[in-house]
Amino acid sequence: MRFLLLLPVILSILSVSTAWRTFLRGRSKGGNLGKPPVSAGTLLPKEQWFTQYLDHFNPTDVHVWKQRYFVNSDFYKPHGPVFLMIGAEGIANPEWMVEGQWIEYAKELGAMCFYLEHRFYGKSHPTSDLSVKNLVYLSSEQALADLAYFIESVNIGYKFSNDTKWIVFGGSYGGSLAAWVRAKYPHLVHGAVSASGPLLAQIDFDEYFIVVANTLRAYSDKCVSTIQEANSQINILLHHTVGQLQIQKKFRLCDPIDPGHTKRVDISNLYETLAGNFADIVQYNKDNRKSSKTANITIETLCDIMVDEKIGKSIDRLAYVNSLILNATKEKCLDYRYDKMIHELRNITWASEQAEGGRQWMYQTCTEFGFFQTSTGQSDVFGNSFPVKFFVQQCVDIFGPRYNMNLLESAVKRTNIIYGALNLQVTNVVFVHGSIDPWHVLGIIQSSNPQAPAIYINGTAHCANMYPPSENDMPQLKEARIQVKGLIKQWLQN
């Protein structure tokens, strides 16, 4: 009898996996660096495994685990450089071993290529599960030490000469790691290409949606005013039962809105999800990824919908955009329920859907970076329903009461002290950012140091310079790729 009473709850929980969001907290499912397009039938290198220490900072802990990596030696010429792609907050896709801008550089410069997957992501499982006691081994510092031990081992295993130069590449969080590993282990890493890497840890990343709104506004001011109007209409409808039913139908909600309107976290999740529909497209606009289900949807697509009065009222156009995203990502309905999200992110098994990186990245944001994309900066456009406290509460609800604002403040301060934030002192690093990528706000976009220049590409998205070139690329993006190649050549001559 008790099981029968619990059955509706169990079925409700199981339904989560059928409609899980593909873009959460500024991160795409699988990681912020997607896959480059690869021709059908292309042979990809086989995965290999490296024995790595679990805890690099405790010499008495001898526990080890297997870390996944890939190798491509097709372009290597004797005494050539070694390129290393740094795995970040997602799976290491072997497609990067045969396509991508770094491969074009490798062909020209005769480089051997390696790709090391980040601990706790993809297939690189250092521990039996993702419990909090195991996640203490997940940090950027441990990841940098993984890179150092890997490089040292490869140098010995491949009998590379002492003057062999390693150049590292990374995008998004991997871009941060690329800059940091050059700063921390300069005796092992000769140069670094840091693409779209946030270097400033910040709890309230309210500038994120400011960039999103300004990017949309640059295409169409009416687009943004219509989004604002639609969110205001949602707010009005939320205050009565008939309106709540309209919202449920228009936005294809998986569950009805709480009639008492008491679950404010659900409403916060709804507003943040609808804002995320636009953020996802802006962040990756025309970046030459083919792996994303929304790759063919652009800023123009969304804004053309938002200004089309034939579709209906402002709220109807916002719902149309939502349906477009749901259909593209093959989700039957919009899951906005806070308790379902928390339940998924509490799952500690490697078999869970969030083990692809959702829980892990949430842990890193709660213990190292913050990076919470709040509504604070654009409350007039996307509403004011997802402030900092909404995200901090998630840290507490997922990982426990000690993961509160006090811990976050000390963690973010620690990260910025360790790495130097935007005052990072380093040489032989190039920082590449795109103007429509919201993450550029937390990176170095101007530099007076000729040994660590910044390339700021107008109109370009997140990590765009890393993907294979296209004839449709903007002139500034084409020029940036040439500039990066010139810098790598300079480093190799020094």
Side-chain angles (χ1 to χ4, degrees):
M1 183 67 180
R2 186 180 179 187
F3 175 78
L4 290 175
L5 290 172
L6 289 173
L7 187 59
V9 177
I10 295 170
L11 291 174
S12 174
I13 290 170
L14 289 175
S15 70
V16 175
S17 61
T18 62
W20 187 252
R21 289 165 58 183
T22 57
F23 186 74
L24 182 68
R25 311 296 179 261
R27 174 190 179 272
S28 280
K29 185 179 286 188
N32 275 343
L33 186 64
K35 288 191 294 187
V38 173
S39 301
T42 301
L43 290 177
L44 301 177
K46 294 181 179 179
E47 60 189 22
Q48 300 189 49
W49 301 90
F50 174 70
T51 301
Q52 189 70 265
Y53 285 111
L54 177 63
D55 187 355
H56 293 288
F57 307 111
N58 181 2
T60 65
D61 187 343
V62 295
H63 288 92
V64 294
W65 58 284
K66 298 290 187 180
Q67 187 171 20
R68 190 168 70 138
Y69 71 98
F70 299 95
V71 187
N72 184 347
S73 58
D74 290 350
F75 321 117
Y76 184 64
K77 296 176 182 176
H79 308 295
V82 181
F83 287 179
L84 172 61
M85 176 79 83
I86 298 174
E89 75 298 338
I91 188 171
N93 292 300
E95 287 84 352
W96 279 106
M97 302 308 296
V98 295
E99 287 289 352
Q101 187 57 49
W102 80 307
I103 293 297
E104 299 306 310
Y105 298 149
K107 290 175 182 177
E108 185 171 339
L109 300 173
M112 183 175 290
C113 298
F114 290 88
Y115 188 4
L116 184 67
E117 193 167 63
H118 195 296
R119 58 170 53 205
F120 284 93
Y121 293 95
K123 294 184 179 180
S124 295
H125 301 171
T127 54
S128 59
D129 60 32
L130 293 165
S131 58
V132 172
K133 69 180 178 64
N134 285 332
L135 287 176
V136 296
Y137 301 109
L138 170 58
S139 71
S140 57
E141 290 175 279
Q142 293 282 5
L144 295 179
D146 286 343
L147 292 165
Y149 275 79
F150 179 77
I151 291 171
E152 181 69 18
S153 178
V154 169
N155 279 335
I156 295 170
Y158 280 77
K159 295 182 172 60
F160 288 140
S161 62
N162 293 332
D163 60 352
T164 297
K165 294 180 171 65
W166 284 73
I167 307 295
V168 298
F169 297 78
S172 196
Y173 166 50
S176 311
L177 294 173
W180 294 337
V181 77
R182 164 61 185 164
K184 187 164 181 59
Y185 299 102
H187 58 294
L188 295 173
V189 175
H190 188 68
V193 178
S194 173
S196 301
L199 299 177
L200 173 65
Q202 183 173 297
I203 297 174
D204 188 351
F205 185 13
D206 63 344
E207 299 96 333
Y208 184 92
F209 276 106
I210 292 176
V211 175
V212 171
N214 287 343
T215 301
L216 295 169
R217 191 176 283 114
Y219 179 76
S220 166
D221 192 63
K222 187 179 179 183
C223 176
V224 176
S225 62
T226 308
I227 295 170
Q228 180 179 352
E229 190 175 283
N231 280 312
S232 297
Q233 290 172 0
I234 291 174
N235 187 50
I236 294 169
L237 292 177
L238 279 169
H239 287 84
H240 53 84
T241 306
V242 175
Q244 292 168 8
L245 290 172
Q246 287 183 42
I247 292 172
Q248 181 185 347
K249 183 178 180 181
K250 287 178 187 292
F251 291 93
R252 294 164 55 184
L253 304 186
C254 298
D255 297 288
I257 295 170
D258 173 42
H261 201 220
T262 55
K263 291 189 177 180
R264 192 65 206 175
V265 286
D266 285 351
I267 304 306
S268 295
N269 231 13
L270 175 60
Y271 273 108
E272 197 243 345
T273 303
L274 296 178
N277 285 341
F278 292 90
D280 181 12
I281 303 307
V282 169
Q283 182 169 307
Y284 299 113
N285 190 60
K286 299 178 182 178
D287 62 0
N288 294 348
R289 288 181 306 161
K290 298 298 183 215
S291 56
S292 171
K293 295 175 182 177
T294 57
N296 293 324
I297 302 174
T298 66
I299 292 169
E300 290 89 338
T301 308
L302 299 191
C303 280
D304 287 351
I305 291 169
M306 293 307 299
V307 301
D308 188 351
E309 296 180 0
K310 295 177 184 176
I311 294 173
K313 297 178 182 178
S314 298
I315 191 172
D316 297 315
R317 298 174 223 168
L318 189 67
Y320 193 102
V321 166
N322 183 63
S323 287
L324 180 71
I325 302 295
L326 288 176
N327 293 341
T329 55
K330 293 182 170 52
E331 295 177 43
K332 294 180 180 178
C333 56
L334 180 64
D335 204 334
Y336 70 104
R337 288 283 297 277
Y338 182 83
D339 57 348
K340 287 186 178 183
M341 178 184 75
I342 297 301
H343 177 82
E344 272 290 303
L345 288 164
R346 279 179 177 169
N347 194 326
I348 66 172
T349 67
W350 285 110
S352 75
E353 186 174 359
Q354 286 307 300
E356 62 81 27
R359 176 174 167 84
Q360 299 93 306
W361 184 240
M362 183 69 78
Y363 179 82
Q364 288 196 264
T365 60
C366 292
T367 58
E368 289 192 86
F369 307 124
F371 293 160
F372 300 139
Q373 296 106 41
T374 70
S375 58
T376 311
Q378 283 295 296
S379 58
D380 58 330
V381 177
F382 296 107
N384 61 357
S385 293
F386 45 104
V388 162
K389 64 180 182 180
F390 171 62
F391 296 94
V392 177
Q393 188 60 49
Q394 292 171 39
C395 295
V396 171
D397 291 342
I398 294 165
F399 301 113
R402 65 184 293 263
Y403 293 85
N404 53 30
M405 180 60 90
N406 291 334
L407 185 148
L408 258 167
E409 288 175 344
S410 62
V412 164
K413 181 179 180 180
R414 178 180 182 275
T415 298
N416 288 330
I417 289 174
I418 289 173
Y419 297 125
L422 299 181
N423 294 315
L424 176 67
Q425 300 299 307
V426 71
T427 61
N428 287 11
V429 175
V430 57
F431 305 99
V432 187
H433 288 278
S435 67
I436 69 169
D437 172 24
W439 291 98
H440 81 256
V441 176
L442 302 182
I444 293 176
I445 60 174
Q446 289 183 321
S447 173
S448 59
N449 180 5
Q451 292 184 296
I455 300 175
Y456 186 58
I457 315 169
N458 193 41
T460 294
H462 196 64
C463 301
N465 65 296
M466 297 184 69
Y467 294 98
S470 163
E471 58 183 19
N472 297 321
D473 287 337
M474 301 173 68
Q476 301 99 313
L477 177 55
K478 294 177 181 179
E479 177 59 29
R481 291 193 175 104
I482 295 170
Q483 286 180 262
V484 171
K485 182 173 68 175
L487 288 165
I488 295 172
K489 285 183 175 180
Q490 279 183 31
W491 301 337
L492 295 177
Q493 291 169 359
N494 296 337

